[in-house]
Amino acid sequence: MLEEVERWLIERSWSLADRPLHRILAAKRASGQTVSVVLPALNEEATVGEIVSVVRHDLVLQAPLVDEVVVVDSGSTDRTAEAAAAAGARVVHRDSILPRIPAVPGKGEVLWRSLLVTRGDIVCFVDADLRDFSSDFVTGVVGPLLTDPDLQLVKAMYDRPLTLADGTAPGAAAGQGGRVTELMARPLLNMHWPQLAGFVQPLGGEYAARRGLLEQLPFPVGYGVELGMLVDALHLVGLDALAQVDVGVRKHRHQDGQALGRMAAAIYRTAQLRLARGHLLRPSLTQFERAGDAFEPRTYSVDTEERPPMTEIEEYRARRVA
């Protein structure tokens, strides 16, 4: 490990106890900064309402840390929007944001568009499929940004026990979550961006950043958004402006192996563009499924589109002037 990374791990990796809530609230009052919490959601009826309820109860009603909770629905076919609204979130549909640019499927697309419907100086992203959610996920990543003006982006780190879609855990599952991280993202970062090797959860969906940074970054539209954001932030603001906080344990729905393969392909593509800024030779991935006595190929397209920095969008610039 690089000496610079060893130093960073000491100076920029913290626990929740390092910043108690009263200190974070005092820093917010002194700075006057506002905080938006954004949940990108696609068919998360079972979990999104509980997450919104916890954030609102702990960090809006009991402690005035969060100024708005926004759920961006990216085309759910279940009652995700209704559950989120009933819990007190402002719900915005992806397609209603910046309608002149047709929306494409993908998490990064939703995060990018969320900048147009939020106002916070600090934007905190939280995945909508978390189980047993704690507001520590929000205070953990928002706190350092409020107390340290030199920081620009803070990611959560945590244990990820492997759980199945029904919430149960197979034997010996402790610490076995994050398979795409270990098999794809971590090797890529260690080999090509070794300064980022200290991030425990580089692909984690819980992180906060200053709006001034987010609006300067391009957003890969799909699953490559977290890796792309980390790499681009490193080049834009430097390693010491990035940090991570241990928030405990993260429980969420895990994908099957083929879905993980598609995620890995999107992440590899994101890395490839940042290494060469060239053209993809084959932006697709073929996987195989058994059909009777044979294996049947199924080919999926890999996200090849990125959204530009939000400061290049006319509607966003107009809103800032207003």
Side-chain angles (χ1 to χ4, degrees):
M1 183 176 289
L2 295 177
E3 183 177 330
E4 179 183 9
V5 177
E6 292 180 348
R7 175 191 58 78
W8 179 86
L9 280 169
I10 296 172
E11 297 179 356
R12 290 290 187 266
S13 294
W14 298 297
S15 71
L16 287 166
D18 291 326
R19 289 174 180 80
L21 182 57
H22 68 82
R23 180 185 168 197
I24 296 171
L25 292 172
K28 183 178 192 291
R29 288 192 297 270
S31 67
Q33 296 178 90
T34 54
V35 176
S36 299
V37 171
V38 173
L39 283 75
L42 176 63
N43 294 330
E44 304 296 355
E45 175 186 351
T47 50
V48 67
E50 176 66 17
I51 297 171
V52 171
S53 293
V54 171
V55 173
R56 281 187 47 79
H57 175 270
D58 293 358
L59 304 179
V60 176
L61 302 177
Q62 285 203 333
L65 179 66
V66 172
D67 297 279
E68 61 177 350
V69 182
V70 179
V71 171
V72 183
D73 187 348
S74 60
S76 298
T77 56
D78 65 0
R79 299 185 69 259
T80 290
E82 291 88 339
R90 177 161 59 93
V91 180
V92 186
H93 195 281
R94 173 199 63 198
D95 296 347
S96 69
I97 307 170
L98 200 61
R100 73 173 177 86
I101 300 178
V104 298
K107 179 182 180 182
E109 177 83 353
V110 174
L111 300 185
W112 182 71
R113 289 175 186 264
S114 75
L115 296 181
L116 266 166
V117 293
T118 55
R119 292 284 183 175
D121 302 303
I122 293 170
V123 182
C124 174
F125 297 117
V126 176
D127 282 350
D129 65 343
L130 302 189
R131 303 175 186 272
D132 301 329
F133 178 77
S134 167
S135 58
D136 289 344
F137 279 81
V138 176
T139 56
V141 296
V142 168
L145 293 170
L146 288 170
T147 59
D148 189 338
D150 294 329
L151 292 175
Q152 293 288 324
L153 185 150
V154 181
K155 290 192 72 84
M157 56 178 169
Y158 32 68
D159 294 318
R160 293 183 66 182
L162 179 60
T163 54
L164 303 179
D166 61 3
T168 62
Q176 296 302 306
R179 291 161 287 172
V180 176
T181 293
E182 300 304 329
L183 296 174
M184 176 60 72
R186 200 176 308 286
L188 282 172
L189 292 175
N190 275 264
M191 287 187 289
H192 298 296
W193 296 280
Q195 287 177 294
L196 298 174
F199 276 93
V200 175
Q201 297 292 352
L203 301 185
E206 289 69 49
Y207 51 97
R210 299 192 190 281
R211 178 174 293 272
L213 171 64
L214 294 172
E215 64 188 14
Q216 297 180 68
L217 298 177
F219 276 63
V221 298
Y223 285 114
V225 62
E226 272 84 23
L227 183 134
M229 188 179 297
L230 206 54
V231 170
D232 293 341
L234 173 68
H235 291 302
L236 193 62
V237 297
L239 182 61
D240 281 342
L242 314 178
Q244 61 185 352
V245 175
D246 187 350
V247 297
V249 178
R250 183 186 197 264
K251 297 180 182 178
H252 68 117
R253 182 188 67 253
H254 282 79
Q255 305 285 347
D256 62 33
Q258 293 210 334
L260 295 179
R262 296 191 289 274
M263 293 180 195
I267 289 162
Y268 179 76
R269 168 262 170 191
T270 301
Q272 181 191 36
L273 286 182
R274 278 151 181 78
L275 286 169
R277 295 294 174 182
H279 297 288
L280 287 174
L281 297 179
R282 184 174 180 266
S284 60
L285 174 72
T286 299
Q287 298 177 319
F288 295 88
E289 296 180 6
R290 181 175 287 282
D293 296 331
F295 284 99
E296 183 176 314
R298 297 182 185 274
T299 299
Y300 302 88
S301 62
V302 175
D303 296 324
T304 58
E305 189 171 357
E306 294 196 4
R307 295 307 189 186
M310 192 56 80
T311 51
E312 297 179 12
I313 300 299
E314 180 181 349
E315 289 89 338
Y316 190 81
R317 294 198 302 268
R319 194 190 76 163
R320 294 181 69 187
V321 171

